[in-house]
Amino acid sequence: MSAPCAPPTLVAGMELVGEFEGSGYREPPQLVCRPDGQIVRLPPLLYRVVRALAGPLPPGPEPAMARIAADLSEETGRCFTEEHIVFLIDKKLAPLGITTYSDGSPPPPTTKNDPFLAFRFRLAVLPEHVTWFLSGLFAWLFRPAVVALGLAAFVAGEAWLWTTQDTGAALRDVLTSPAAVLLVVLLAIASCAFHELGHGAACRYGGVRPGAMGCGIYLVWPAFYTDITNSYRLGRAGRIRADLGGVYFNAVFVLGLGALYAATGFQPLLVAILSVHLEMVQQLLPTLRFDGYYIVADLIGIPDLFKYIAPILRRVFLRRPQDDRLRALKRWPQVVVAVWVLFLVPVLSLQLGLVLMNLPELLAADWRTITSLMAHAGASGASGALGSSVDQVLAMVAACLQAVLLVLPLAGLALVVGRPVRALVRLAWRRPGRGTAGGRA
């Protein structure tokens, strides 16, 4: 083996976090944080190499490799040589962007993970330091006494709402008023933003720094998001608090709306409360990457459940032996993941099938609704008898906003379907006989 030109080092800004607490793995992984903020899980062996590189090393490449090999042999009781350390660094750590190569050359550029059904089409709006400041204003809401009081008030408010109020009449009244519809939509958007602030405040209460906040399209829905990758630094209870922080803030938002409605009797506030309830139910669904999914993942200590779909299906339906991914899990997380997969696959298949079957009718209905909204708004603007100029402007804004909300899911669906279609087109274009010779290894 030729001597390397320079000793390997950790990439500047790399942080050693430590053991992933509350893990569902038989051998808990160790965490490191890359300079781009990405948390990487490492098996204990690789983490020992990283930890050795993080400490002081003697000058020159050979002493460094020799020391790491000797330390690793002493810790594990197995025999490691310099060649083993070179292999671990060049084939495992450097490609992850954690260390330089064994000859001191820089690692390749790194990219963030792109997991299945992740939130891809997004735009950061509030930078990390603004999220940190705003989260600090509301972190006190997670004090145990405040949480208990808030949940008790929410339960009492729910009992009052569903036993004494006529929500159907309120909904019918609001739908006849463009201004009321616009107000309800704005309050729903405000609730979504406050939801995301709840995740950030939970992180800050737990002692970790939340990332940027922004918005985008998740699959077919317009959505807000908060980067809470740092919640992996917390134990299981802290991670679940961060997962539930958004729904908890929705409940706080409902309390505020309920208090205003009790004081004023203003019907749009009651309809806004109903819209927030729908948001809470959606967020608690465990099928897609909503809060319910992350709650299940953090309860069992398995960060990415979707990567176990294929191993579980092969194991259950094809009776194949467990692969390494399943064998790495503890017994009860395996059972929970299997139940989740067997529930998820038929549900998603049914939903996708219904959407594709009804897509032509959905497009036609959306087009009719949009043209009707625009025609009604235009008629309102042309006739002074229909209201003041302010009412006319509100009618036009409400119509445009409803049209956007109708179009966004279709745009999201086009993006979702477009990715596999483009992949199939590229695959067909690169079939044998096309492209350059020798392109297949």
Side-chain angles (χ1 to χ4, degrees):
M1 181 185 69
S2 59
C5 301
T9 60
L10 292 185
V11 171
M14 193 67 58
E15 179 186 357
L16 278 65
V17 178
E19 183 177 317
F20 178 38
E21 297 184 28
S23 167
Y25 299 95
R26 298 184 187 276
E27 191 174 27
Q30 307 290 322
L31 306 179
V32 297
C33 183
R34 292 193 320 212
D36 61 0
Q38 182 76 22
I39 298 289
V40 181
R41 299 187 303 275
L42 295 177
L45 178 63
L46 291 181
Y47 188 78
R48 289 189 177 103
V49 176
V50 172
R51 189 176 59 194
L53 290 174
L57 293 174
E62 292 299 328
M65 291 297 189
R67 174 181 170 179
I68 295 174
D71 289 348
L72 205 57
S73 299
E74 183 178 352
E75 283 189 46
T76 62
R78 298 159 57 188
C79 181
F80 286 92
T81 65
E82 297 177 34
E83 287 79 3
H84 294 143
I85 305 304
V86 169
F87 175 83
L88 293 176
I89 290 174
D90 288 348
K91 301 299 183 180
K92 304 294 184 179
L93 294 173
L96 292 174
I98 296 174
T99 69
T100 62
Y101 284 98
S102 58
D103 61 359
S105 58
T110 57
T111 57
K112 289 197 173 186
N113 292 333
D114 187 18
F116 181 65
L117 293 181
F119 195 164
R120 296 187 181 91
F121 310 106
R122 59 184 183 178
L123 174 67
V125 176
L126 299 180
E128 183 177 319
H129 68 275
V130 176
T131 304
W132 173 259
F133 170 76
L134 294 176
S135 300
L137 299 178
F138 297 96
W140 61 273
L141 288 171
F142 287 95
R143 294 174 182 172
V146 177
V147 172
L149 182 62
L151 293 180
F154 178 74
V155 171
E158 291 294 286
W160 170 79
L161 172 68
W162 297 110
T163 59
T164 64
Q165 303 303 305
D166 188 354
T167 56
L171 183 59
R172 289 190 295 270
D173 291 342
V174 166
L175 290 178
T176 61
S177 170
V181 170
L182 183 60
L183 177 60
V184 170
V185 171
L186 292 177
L187 288 173
I189 293 173
S191 173
C192 292
F194 196 61
H195 172 104
E196 297 304 326
L197 192 57
H199 292 306
C203 283
R204 177 153 183 176
Y205 181 82
V208 298
R209 195 175 189 91
M213 294 176 61
C215 59
I217 298 178
Y218 177 61
L219 298 182
V220 298
W221 299 279
F224 292 86
Y225 75 92
T226 301
D227 184 354
I228 58 170
T229 305
N230 277 331
S231 65
Y232 283 118
R233 300 170 183 266
L234 302 172
R236 178 184 282 120
R239 296 196 302 271
I240 294 174
R241 180 175 55 235
D243 298 334
L244 287 169
V247 175
Y248 171 53
F249 268 43
N250 283 143
V252 173
F253 198 84
V254 166
L255 286 177
L257 292 178
L260 287 174
Y261 174 72
T264 63
F266 190 44
Q267 297 279 40
L269 295 175
L270 186 57
V271 177
I273 290 174
L274 297 179
S275 72
V276 177
H277 279 79
L278 292 176
E279 179 190 354
M280 296 170 71
V281 171
Q282 181 196 54
Q283 286 293 339
L284 290 174
L285 294 176
T287 49
L288 300 176
R289 291 183 188 269
F290 298 129
D291 294 348
Y293 165 85
Y294 291 105
I295 292 169
V296 173
D298 286 328
L299 279 173
I300 63 176
I302 308 296
D304 190 356
L305 301 178
F306 281 103
K307 74 177 184 179
Y308 295 97
I309 292 178
I312 291 292
L313 294 181
R314 285 196 295 265
R315 173 68 173 162
V316 173
F317 294 105
L318 302 181
R319 313 305 298 173
R320 301 283 179 82
Q322 290 185 348
D323 65 8
D324 292 338
R325 286 175 291 182
L326 292 180
R327 282 193 292 269
L329 303 182
K330 297 176 182 177
R331 178 61 180 170
W332 75 271
Q334 274 194 41
V335 174
V336 175
V337 172
V339 171
W340 178 82
V341 168
L342 296 178
F343 167 77
L344 172 78
V345 171
V347 168
L348 287 186
S349 300
L350 178 62
Q351 290 177 342
L352 182 59
L354 290 175
V355 169
L356 293 179
M357 285 176 56
N358 295 297
L359 185 58
E361 183 180 348
L362 178 63
L363 291 171
D366 282 356
W367 177 252
R368 289 194 300 270
T369 303
I370 291 173
T371 53
S372 175
L373 287 170
M374 294 304 173
H376 180 72
S380 299
S383 175
L386 293 179
S388 66
S389 59
V390 173
D391 293 332
Q392 296 164 11
V393 171
L394 289 176
M396 181 62 70
V397 172
C400 293
L401 187 56
Q402 291 177 73
V404 169
L405 293 177
L406 288 171
V407 170
L408 277 178
L410 298 177
L413 182 62
L415 290 173
V416 171
V417 175
R419 290 173 64 90
V421 168
R422 288 196 303 270
L424 290 175
V425 170
R426 288 196 297 267
L427 182 63
W429 182 257
R430 295 172 184 173
R431 68 183 186 273
R434 304 191 75 105
T436 58
R440 181 174 176 175

